[in-house]
Amino acid sequence: MEAWDGATVRFRYPDPAKSLAAVRLLSSVRHADLEFAGDGWQLALPAPAVHRIEYRFELTHPDGSREPVTDPGNPMHAAGGFGESSVVHHPDYAEPDWLHHDGQAGTWRSLHLPVRGLRATADIRIWSPETPDAARGRVLIAHDGPDYERFGGLARYTSAMIRAGRVPPYHLALLPPGERDEWYSASPAYALALAGEIIPRLRADLQSPAVVGAGASLGALALLHAQRRHPAGFAGLFLQSGSYFQPRHDSQESGFPRWGRIVRFTGQVLRAGRGPAVPAVLTCGAAEENLANNRDMVDALRDQGYPVAFAENPDAHTWTGWRDALDPHLTSLLRRVWPE
């Protein structure tokens, strides 16, 4: 069981018989060992600068085997790409209002697009408002599209914001991640396929001269990489917790197979004197390892003429944190790119 008590967050895992060898907290903000006291394992942490903490316990059994579990004393869970986690909220935390508002009626369809440059077929799901002509000329594409919808509520956000008149009507295209670690790691082949095959097909089908791209983590990196190499067709970028790895900030990521390629691209952008500027909004969690590299990227893009805004949201590297930052930050970008 957990408790957020003023400036301290307390975690507890019951073990009356002391049958476990150790218990470790695996959380979105830090990892730490619990200590046995009384009839269970306990840990008190100084409260971090976030409004939510997603976590699991890693149980070490006497035989040395380890087992990650959710908190049996906490019924609140958060879904994510690696399964469910327990979650504890700061007393001031509130879900976005749009989660509880009616949405614009719309329809889904699938586009099965063979992509020669990737030797793969992209199964793209497209949502369009009930009157698709009203969305003509406007499309938002999202990397990690299925997860952005399932865990980040992107389609629900879209329909709610359109229904409320906060943004003009637009089409939403959810792009599948495919071979994610390869495609989204500053891959020239993926950038060319996105800009040369996928986006032109969407532009033709949806009658949109340019698109806004949304991505998180590696998905944000891949969008910026594609926009830098092939800027035509991009009208704006919404980049959340981008993986702009640098050796001085991100040595913990050096084992990633495409570390070198990402570091080279990031360095090229940071050293560039100018770039193909489009309106951009970057967000990053206040408790993230990516925060320093995101701050550096914001400074570089601003110096290169990008009209860029940056928001540090009180969360970590989580889908719910990215969801909670959609409004007002994606909202303001879409209103800027698509003024009515």
Side-chain angles (χ1 to χ4, degrees), residues 279-291:
V281 171
L282 281 69
T283 78
C284 193
E288 287 196 48
E289 291 178 340
N290 277 351
L291 183 57

Side-chain angles (χ1 to χ4, degrees), residues 142-177:
H143 275 164
D144 290 306
D147 282 354
Y148 234 133
E149 159 54 16
R150 181 181 177 188
F151 305 124
L154 188 57
R156 188 168 184 175
Y157 161 86
T158 292
S159 64
M161 291 295 106
I162 292 174
R163 173 69 179 271
R166 299 281 307 283
V167 298
Y170 60 88
H171 303 279
L172 174 64
L174 304 178
L175 307 186

Side-chain angles (χ1 to χ4, degrees), residues 141 143 194 213-215 219-227 234 237-239:
I141 65 170
H143 275 164
L194 177 63
L221 171 83
L223 272 175
L224 180 62
H225 177 254
Q227 190 268 336
F234 285 96
L237 297 172
F238 184 68
L239 310 175

Side-chain angles (χ1 to χ4, degrees), residues 188-202:
Y190 180 76
L192 180 60
L194 177 63
E197 298 185 65
I198 297 172
I199 288 178
R201 175 63 184 275
L202 291 172

